[in-house]
Amino acid sequence: MSIVTVQLGQCGNQIGFEVFDSLFSDSHCSQGLCSKRENEAYQASCKERFFREEKNGIPIARAVLVDMEPKVINQTLSKAAQASRWKYGQHACFCQKQGSGNNWAYGYSMHGPRHEESIMNLIQKEVEKCDSLSGFFVIMSMAGGTGSGLGAFITQKLQDQYSNSLKMNQIIWPYGTGEVIVQNYNSILTLSHLYRSSDAFLIHENDVVHKICAKRMNIKQISFSNINQVLAHQLGSVFQPTYSSEGSFHYRRNPLGDLMEHLVPHPEFKMLGVRNIPQMSENSLAYSTFTWAGLLKHLRQMLISNAKMEEGINWQVRPPLSGLPPLGKMSVNKELHFNTSIANLVILRGKDVLSADVEAFKDPALYTSWLEPVDAFSVWKTQRAFNKYEKCAALVSNSQFLVKPLDMIVGKAWNMFASKAYIHQYTKFGIEEEDFLDSFTLLEQVVASYCNV
Amino acid sequence: MGRRRCRATGALPQAIATLSRSLPAGPSPEIFRRAKFDRPEAAPVLWQLLFRVLSPPAADSTWFPLAPEAQARVVKSALHSLGYPRPVLAQFPEGSRELLLALSWLLARGPLLEKLLDKTRLQLGDQLPQFEHEALGSLGPPVLHVETEGPMDLRRVQWLMGKLRFRWRHPIFSQQEQCTLLGKIHLYTSGCHSHQNLGHLSVTETEMLRDPESSQQLLQALECENTRLEAALEWRCCELVFWQWMDTVLDACPVEGPSVASQPTVLPMISEHGLGELELIEQELQALQEELQEVAESRRAAWEAQVRGLGRGPEWGTTRKALQESVERELAALQGSWEQSSRSDQLHRPHRLVRSKEGAPGPQGLRAAEVIRMLSAQEACLKRMLHQLQSQCQQELARLSGTLPDLIWILAPRH
């Protein structure tokens, strides 16, 4: 089943390109550590999900590109055309001449309704070219104007028009010290609107990915391109084909549905974080070997201590012992707090993957009291290696990972709102104070739900 | 094929043999004989046969083996819901005579053989998926089930509901995909079929062309079906002997009490006793109508007496008008749903999917647009029912929460 990707705004389009590129190069990589037939099945599955074929053979990405300025879209299209291994559809993009000025209200109330028909038509055309639609993958940032405002609008329209299809939003969490003054306003408005119309959010924080580039990849001058490539690697390790069940030899057909079924069935808990190890530069790859035991031990500790990468993990954090009274409400300020999970999905790829032992993840102490580990934890194992990593472990987690960042953003936005700073820019385009208050209420509720887990 | 005259001697074994040939996995005549004498070894076979006959159509095709106790439970509950008059079957696993009586009751009351043959019919074409739904009439009060082992966290229930919603989509997705692929096959094979009206091949026919092995298997399956059909036709001629024998089986049962003795003998279909029965029914209906009229009159008089006391001011005019309108709406809805259920019977017959050019004069059969219209009407009706049930549940919850003084009831936003 196929996934239609909607790339929104500067951020969305740049990341989208890297994601497709990473998926394509991995599926055509010869170092898959598996038989030729297996490799072909992998390729075919990846192709079914993300690409379609035309008569003369170059695969076309199942994507719609949307931006209010032409610059980034043109760059993206030309990059794809240059590499000439895959390309975007000829009529798959929509752009205008003027931007959104980082104004969420402008993106949501002006650009949205004005261009709704054209954009939805493009999406419809892409959907018709799928034999069967698994769902939509919308890549956007939270802080800008186009990605965030227009993204929220488009997701709502997707919910209206394709209510039976699944929607996952890939959201880029801005730098804490970002350049856009009103990024906190944009963020809370985006999140609250998406919470009503999307099924799941995969969240990546710019700060975190930046650190990974600096510490793990040893890149001196970190550009957005580097960040996007790390991001694409993480997403690829989640979305590339996996076997449908233990011991099966068929790749699963409905990646979005299976992921969501395991992780986000509850309407209040939709925020997912991704952790991926090992992460290193390509040069170091050839000289490193890992064991599954080591990788999984690190991954588990990263989950428990809310570490963002495999360096600097706090090994002091331990799960609460059973028999002791529950830890009670989480204080957002406590550093040593244990990260409680609601549900986890571990995806393992590579050599000897069947021998990997994930029992440590089934410890009930890791999870909330109202879900058994058998419901809360799933593991997908695939022999075929990903992106030349001999072993690769990814964790998609619905846990308290994002409570602190969310709380921080809500706090900052509230402080600005209390002094009515910059509100007129939003009320000018139809976003009233009521809408702000609704957003605050919803997000406070989300924070409270996650804290009380 | 000439009519076979069943002679007195040797006719019974032949009749029973014909019956067992026409049943799916029919038991041997020896089993029937043993069952008359209530021998225990006949019981398991008869339980299995009854299970096969009574289990819902979906289970039949997958045919996963249930434990014998579970099979017995299914059979008993199915017989009970069909109104089987004899007291509940004896304890498992004895009672093969009772099982035989149950089987013959099923045979007598309705077109059992025809239904079974229909269920297992071989289809060469691509079929319209069968639409099964409950009768749209029943709208009783919502049943509140409160049975759990202990207090369950509401979040867990929400989690499980969400999972169910996601899993729901799987069959929808696979059916969509199947439709797209069927469409492609029909498109690519257009012009290949010898039959003028069909024009293109179905999946089974395409498989036969690609793989000659499968055509052999298909042939064998068709021959099996033919044998059963022939047996069913023969049975129609011989069945009288069987029923006479069944009377003796009934007589062989120990007398159990006045309730059993007063049971009327099980009769075959009503057409054999024709007009006499019809007159009886007419009389009964007449009596019923008179009774209803009486009751309605008395209730109307009582209501009028009650209402006469109440005011007749202008506000009553509007209230009355509103009431009239809502009653008319409900009546229209009820009529609509009744019409739907009568028209939608067409959908329950098997139909072969045929793709034809637009505007071409279509042969007999339903058009896709018509089917879509019927289904949309059904969908709207079911949605209305769902809405009604949901608001009933909400009202009930509001009432319950009103009884708790310290509870504030806030409705969750609609999804």
Side-chain angles (χ1 to χ4, degrees), chain B residues 46-323:
Chain B
L46 286 175
W47 277 117
Q48 275 203 12
L49 177 62
L50 280 170
F51 178 71
R52 193 84 185 264
V53 163
L54 289 169
S55 59
D60 205 52
S61 55
T62 52
W63 187 220
F64 55 90
L66 276 184
E69 292 84 15
Q71 283 186 2
R73 266 204 305 275
V74 171
V75 169
K76 283 190 198 177
S77 71
L79 283 174
H80 185 73
S81 63
L82 289 172
Y84 185 54
R86 285 182 75 79
V88 179
L89 291 175
Q91 68 278 30
F92 173 79
E94 339 259 355
S96 58
R97 181 160 48 211
E98 289 292 333
L99 293 174
L100 182 58
L101 286 171
L103 179 66
S104 54
W105 182 80
L106 287 170
L107 262 176
R109 79 184 265 285
L112 183 69
L113 281 183
E114 285 81 344
K115 269 203 198 134
L116 288 174
L117 287 169
D118 199 38
K119 256 203 276 191
T120 53
R121 214 167 101 169
L122 265 180
Q123 302 289 3
L124 286 182
D126 299 315
Q127 297 302 311
L128 194 63
Q130 290 295 308
F131 306 111
E132 301 183 36
H133 61 93
E134 307 290 309
L136 295 179
S138 54
L139 260 190
V143 177
L144 295 169
H145 267 299
V146 192
E147 300 176 25
T148 45
E149 303 102 22
M152 194 186 250
D153 197 313
L154 184 63
R155 290 173 289 185
R156 187 182 155 86
V157 178
Q158 286 173 310
W159 181 272
L160 294 171
M161 276 293 295
K163 254 189 137 148
L164 198 64
R165 278 198 198 103
F166 280 121
R167 293 236 177 128
W168 228 324
R169 301 181 207 233
H170 287 192
I172 298 180
F173 285 152
S174 24
Q175 183 155 71
Q176 275 177 353
E177 200 177 19
Q178 194 191 27
C179 284
T180 324
L181 294 173
L182 267 182
K184 279 190 182 167
I185 292 181
H186 291 183
L187 190 62
Y188 295 160
T189 60
S190 65
C192 293
H193 207 288
S194 50
H195 197 292
Q196 284 287 41
N197 282 343
L198 294 175
H200 63 79
L201 301 178
S202 70
V203 174
T204 326
E205 289 161 349
T206 318
E207 269 309 302
M208 278 204 294
L209 284 180
R210 270 170 24 126
D211 178 24
E213 286 292 312
S214 69
S215 59
Q216 284 292 2
Q217 286 172 359
L218 193 60
L219 190 60
Q220 277 173 2
L222 281 169
E223 280 171 357
C224 273
E225 199 178 312
N226 258 354
T227 325
R228 279 181 60 194
L229 285 167
E230 284 177 2
L233 283 172
E234 260 185 63
W235 162 253
R236 285 286 153 229
C237 311
C238 315
E239 56 176 315
L240 204 52
V241 181
F242 178 77
W243 293 120
Q244 289 167 349
W245 179 70
M246 279 311 297
D247 277 339
T248 67
V249 175
L250 196 55
D251 292 338
C253 281
V255 177
E256 296 188 23
S259 58
V260 175
S262 65
Q263 290 289 334
T265 49
V266 175
L267 295 168
M269 295 177 257
I270 215 167
S271 55
E272 301 206 25
H273 291 252
L275 291 171
E277 294 277 334
L278 280 177
E279 272 179 29
L280 226 116
I281 291 177
E282 198 181 320
Q283 283 172 11
E284 284 181 7
L285 278 176
Q286 197 100 350
L288 195 63
Q289 191 176 31
E290 285 167 11
E291 213 180 303
L292 275 173
Q293 267 180 349
E294 271 180 45
V295 174
E297 283 299 333
S298 57
R299 281 186 89 168
R300 189 184 290 276
W303 178 78
E304 286 206 348
Q306 214 180 21
V307 154
R308 204 169 297 134
L310 300 172
R312 279 183 188 274
E315 73 271 15
W316 280 106
T318 43
T319 331
R320 205 182 305 144
K321 199 159 169 244
L323 279 172

Side-chain angles (χ1 to χ4, degrees), chain A residues 123-418:
Chain A
I123 297 180
Q124 172 80 11
K125 286 216 188 77
E126 201 57 55
V127 167
E128 279 166 6
K129 295 185 183 144
C130 302
D131 271 341
S132 77
L133 181 68
S134 171
F136 298 96
F137 187 57
V138 180
I139 312 182
M140 54 196 269
S141 76
M142 227 167 46
T146 302
S148 59
L150 185 57
F153 183 83
I154 294 289
T155 310
Q156 218 168 298
K157 292 302 153 200
L158 286 177
Q159 168 73 352
D160 291 336
Q161 194 170 336
Y162 300 95
S163 48
N164 271 333
S165 301
L166 303 168
K167 287 156 282 296
M168 176 174 275
N169 290 62
Q170 161 67 35
I171 300 182
I172 304 305
W173 204 271
Y175 283 109
T177 54
E179 316 107 27
V180 180
I181 296 223
V182 289
Q183 68 182 39
N184 296 317
Y185 281 163
N186 293 343
S187 306
I188 57 138
L189 287 167
T190 307
L191 279 176
S192 61
H193 276 81
L194 286 181
Y195 234 92
R196 294 180 205 128
S197 42
S198 172
D199 296 308
F201 316 146
L202 257 188
I203 298 184
H204 276 100
E205 300 168 76
N206 263 348
D207 286 313
V208 168
V209 185
H210 190 104
K211 261 195 231 149
I212 295 181
C213 286
K215 299 253 171 84
R216 301 295 302 165
M217 318 287 274
N218 283 326
I219 304 174
K220 299 289 183 271
Q221 297 272 29
I222 300 176
S223 67
F224 271 121
S225 175
N226 302 122
I227 292 192
N228 294 341
Q229 277 167 359
V230 170
L231 241 157
H233 173 84
Q234 289 199 347
L235 286 176
S237 70
V238 172
F239 283 112
Q240 283 292 52
T242 52
Y243 287 139
S244 49
S245 52
E246 199 74 44
S248 141
F249 291 104
H250 292 292
Y251 288 109
R252 57 180 76 233
R253 307 281 327 283
N254 190 3
L256 271 187
D258 293 339
L259 203 124
M260 292 195 192
E261 182 193 323
H262 288 303
L263 291 171
V264 288
H266 196 295
E268 269 175 34
F269 301 104
K270 290 185 181 172
M271 299 201 295
L272 302 173
V274 181
R275 299 285 182 267
N276 184 299
I277 57 172
Q279 294 247 231
M280 56 185 52
S281 62
E282 219 171 289
N283 309 336
S284 324
L285 256 185
Y287 304 107
S288 323
T289 46
F290 299 91
T291 60
W292 285 117
L295 284 175
L296 289 170
K297 188 160 155 210
H298 277 74
L299 196 60
R300 182 175 182 269
Q301 194 62 24
M302 280 165 76
L303 168 66
I304 296 178
S305 63
N306 199 358
K308 320 290 190 195
M309 55 180 154
E310 62 257 53
E311 253 177 55
I313 300 179
N314 184 350
W315 291 92
Q316 299 298 326
V317 181
R318 300 240 180 249
L321 293 166
S322 56
L324 290 181
L327 289 176
K329 273 198 188 174
M330 169 179 163
S331 155
V332 189
N333 294 322
K334 257 161 82 170
E335 284 306 322
L336 255 185
H337 191 78
F338 169 77
N339 179 44
T340 312
S341 306
I342 296 159
N344 288 320
L345 170 65
V346 166
I347 303 177
L348 303 175
R349 300 174 189 274
K351 194 168 145 187
D352 300 330
V353 77
L354 294 173
S355 64
D357 175 17
V358 288
E359 285 310 305
F361 280 93
K362 296 185 189 170
D363 182 0
L366 266 55
Y367 299 99
T368 66
S369 53
W370 44 273
L371 267 188
E372 309 283 319
V374 69
D375 291 323
F377 176 71
S378 336
V379 59
W380 296 350
K381 295 182 182 172
T382 316
Q383 296 272 22
R384 207 258 190 202
F386 172 69
N387 212 4
K388 301 185 197 148
Y389 280 70
E390 184 199 50
K391 299 188 174 83
C392 169
L395 167 71
V396 186
S397 171
N398 188 350
S399 60
Q400 294 172 325
F401 273 166
L402 291 145
V403 174
K404 218 158 110 193
L406 181 59
D407 200 50
M408 207 154 37
I409 285 197
V410 172
K412 285 192 196 160
W414 182 254
N415 286 339
M416 280 177 76
F417 183 72

